[in-house]
Amino acid sequence: MGTPDTTREPCPDRILDDIVGAFGMGITGGSVYHFIRGIYNSPAGARLSGGAQYVRMNAPKVGGSFAVWGGLFSTMDCAMVYARQKEDPWNSIIAGAATGGLLSLRQGFRASGRAALFGGAILALIQGVQLIAADKVASAAQQQQVFMGEAASLPPAQVYGRSVPVPETSSASEAGSGSWFGGLFGKGKQKGSEDKSGSKTQVLESFDAPPVPTYEFN
């Protein structure tokens, strides 16, 4: 048995779920369409009331038609799952073709065959788009996992494909500043420090202790 489709309800419950969803979709879309149509076809001064009347008359019919189609499609889908014992896109394609053919059976076999081909083609297109989208999402998730694994194995300075410079220490920065600006400002700094030290020694020398007085008289 194939892997079950985890994005949908289990097979007995998905029939009711699809009926409710299809009915809500038909009510919403039919209300918008027939309200605009009623406003367009109503005379001036009664456009809003005309649109509302069109909605009351036609929107439930559209919702019911959608509900019938969704319920029959889900029933056929569950029958295919039970018959083939696996879930894959072919179940939905065959169910769409069978639904279109059964709903048009009263119009003759030729019309039923055209409706079956149209329903199968529509479901094949939908399933193809879903498969392409799922493949894109899966490849993006796989690339992200590979990138995260590579980033975890690299040191922090080389994450995202570029190296981050390590900050220099104070001694290195002092050495670098001396190498860059030593020719311009290094000598000045040295002279200033020498002058300051010399002034300190001069000040200290100027305040020498006075000589000790003697009491010898000539």
Side-chain angles (χ1 to χ4, degrees), residues 27-155:
I27 283 289
T28 304
S31 298
V32 173
Y33 173 74
H34 287 290
F35 184 74
I36 296 174
R37 184 183 175 189
I39 290 176
Y40 180 78
N41 293 328
S42 298
R47 296 188 183 275
L48 294 179
S49 60
Q53 185 177 2
Y54 266 65
V55 169
R56 288 194 301 268
M57 293 175 59
N58 299 308
K61 296 179 182 179
V62 178
S65 299
F66 271 72
V68 170
W69 197 96
L72 189 58
F73 170 78
S74 296
T75 303
M76 293 295 177
D77 192 12
C78 290
M80 293 303 301
V81 170
Y82 179 77
R84 302 179 68 232
Q85 293 296 312
K86 62 181 179 180
E87 293 189 6
D88 56 6
W90 286 108
N91 293 336
S92 298
I93 295 172
I94 297 172
T99 301
L102 287 175
L103 291 177
S104 302
L105 190 60
R106 293 185 299 174
Q107 300 176 5
F109 290 103
R110 184 174 295 180
S112 178
R114 289 196 298 266
L117 290 177
F118 181 75
I122 291 296
L123 265 298
L125 180 62
I126 294 173
Q127 293 296 322
V129 172
Q130 289 180 354
L131 287 176
I132 293 174
D135 190 16
K136 294 293 184 181
V137 172
S139 62
Q142 186 177 5
Q143 291 178 0
Q144 185 177 4
Q145 289 178 358
V146 171
F147 175 76
M148 294 299 293
E150 293 178 354
S153 62
L154 292 175

